[in-house]
Amino acid sequence: LVALIVGGVAVTNTMAMSVFERIREIGLLRAIGWKGRSIALLILGETLAIALIALGVGLALGYAAAESFTNGSRLSALASPDFTPGVFAWGLAFALGVALFGAIYPTWIARNYITGTLLEVEELVRTIDFIARAGAGTSMPSVTVTPRPAASTA
């Protein structure tokens, strides 16, 4: 139970920081027309990728630790590690469940509250225009950004 709580808090913190550090990126995706569902799938996909990597590392380290503690020591007479496919399947289900549970809040924030504001998009366009002018040494046409009607967050 403690591992579940600690794992859930760690995943939630990691994904929340990822979302909050990328507010402008998510806002830009919203401004160019990404739906809330697409952004939610992006965040959940990242969460599952991180969970699968962590699962692989955790299972490998757990297997190595169990073998090293029991082989060649007096513990081998008391206990021996038994790694069945069921153990690995339970680990997979547990890790994915904790990851998805921990991603609910950051996904909800990214889907419902981060919107591309006109100011952020204009700042990005000005930055791109400045870089293009400085790099090419020629004048580029200016870009005008006009606000579009608010779309539903379906």
Side-chain angles (χ1 to χ4, degrees):
L1 182 61
V2 172
L4 178 64
I5 293 169
V6 170
V9 168
V11 170
T12 302
N13 184 46
T14 301
M15 294 313 299
M17 291 309 299
S18 173
V19 166
F20 292 132
E21 288 174 355
R22 295 169 39 197
I23 286 177
R24 289 182 180 261
E25 176 187 335
I26 294 169
L28 181 62
L29 292 174
R30 294 294 297 234
I32 63 172
W34 275 42
K35 302 279 188 230
R37 181 176 183 214
S38 298
I39 292 173
L41 290 174
L42 174 73
I43 303 298
L44 290 175
E46 289 175 1
T47 301
L48 290 177
I50 291 170
L52 289 174
I53 292 169
L55 171 69
V57 171
L59 287 177
L61 290 175
Y63 180 81
E67 289 295 328
S68 69
F69 286 139
T70 57
N71 289 342
S73 70
R74 287 188 263 177
L75 286 176
S76 60
L78 297 174
S80 64
D82 184 27
F83 296 105
T84 63
V87 170
F88 291 102
W90 187 86
L92 174 66
F94 184 79
L96 293 180
V98 169
L100 289 176
F101 181 76
I104 290 172
Y105 174 69
T107 301
W108 182 70
I109 291 293
R111 183 177 190 266
N112 294 319
Y113 285 104
I114 299 174
T115 59
T117 64
L118 179 60
L119 182 62
E120 291 173 347
V121 174
E122 280 182 331
E123 181 179 317
L124 178 65
V125 169
R126 271 191 250 115
T127 303
I128 292 170
D129 190 39
F130 174 77
I131 292 170
R133 287 177 194 230
T138 60
S139 177
M140 300 276 299
S142 64
V143 178
T144 304
V145 177
T146 56
R148 62 184 175 110
S152 65
T153 58

